[in-house]
Amino acid sequence: MELGGGAPGPGRPVLEQEGIQVLQQSVGWLLASYGWYILFGCVAVYLVVQKLAEKMRGQRRNRPNAAGAPLEPDVVVRQQEALAAARFRMQEELNEQAEKYKEKQRQLEEEKRRQKIAIWESMQEGKSYKGNLKLNQQEIESTASASSTVPKPKPNKKPLRGGYNPLSGEGGGTCAWRPGRRGGPSSSG
């Protein structure tokens, strides 16, 4: 088989011979012009692939359970015991928080019950219970705020105008709201 251009052989058509010659010329020109760059590029790609393969092998060795490697039974038992101990500690903390919350709720209910009893007794004696109510509420808030933030007291504000409702058209001012006309054609005839 001839690599160089020559007379077409008996079994090859002329078009195929010309195609092979064009291919040889273009590949030859490409290698002549960029051959060293192509060679260095291939070497660089080969080295990068080797480095990556080395790192992957190192990571697989560091992980004992990576490729289905059998684990030692004592390691598995220790991990399960540590997990169970951590769960137990977390459950104990949760139980403690729940007990504290229940105790706090009981105290609040007891304070409310005492307040209701005090109101009832003051009503039986014929006294006003509103003053006692405010004092008892302040006591409850002070005991409750010891464990949480202190809310600011709200000042009693008077309305700007007594009984003014802008939608009613009564009250004060010359402005009054009136509903607009309903749209649509006027009915005539």
Side-chain angles (χ1 to χ4, degrees), residues 3-22:
L3 290 179
R12 294 189 178 173
V14 176
L15 187 59
E16 185 178 325
Q17 284 293 326
E18 288 177 6
I20 291 175
Q21 287 178 355
V22 169

Side-chain angles (χ1 to χ4, degrees), residues 92-134:
E92 288 296 318
E93 290 174 7
L94 186 64
N95 289 343
E96 288 176 15
Q97 290 175 357
E99 286 297 321
K100 288 178 184 177
Y101 179 76
K102 285 180 183 177
E103 182 64 30
K104 189 175 180 181
Q105 290 299 323
R106 276 190 231 125
Q107 288 176 355
L108 288 175
E109 288 176 8
E110 182 66 23
E111 288 296 321
K112 286 181 182 178
R113 188 181 67 80
R114 287 181 191 162
Q115 183 180 6
K116 286 182 181 180
I117 291 172
I119 290 171
W120 178 254
E121 288 175 355
S122 66
M123 286 177 62
Q124 292 297 322
E125 294 172 3
K127 296 179 182 177
S128 172
Y129 69 92
K130 291 187 179 182
N132 292 338
L133 177 64
K134 288 181 183 177

Side-chain angles (χ1 to χ4, degrees), residues 21-34:
Q21 287 178 355
V22 169
L23 183 64
Q24 284 177 345
Q25 287 176 354
S26 61
V27 169
W29 176 82
L30 185 68
L31 287 177
S33 299
Y34 300 107

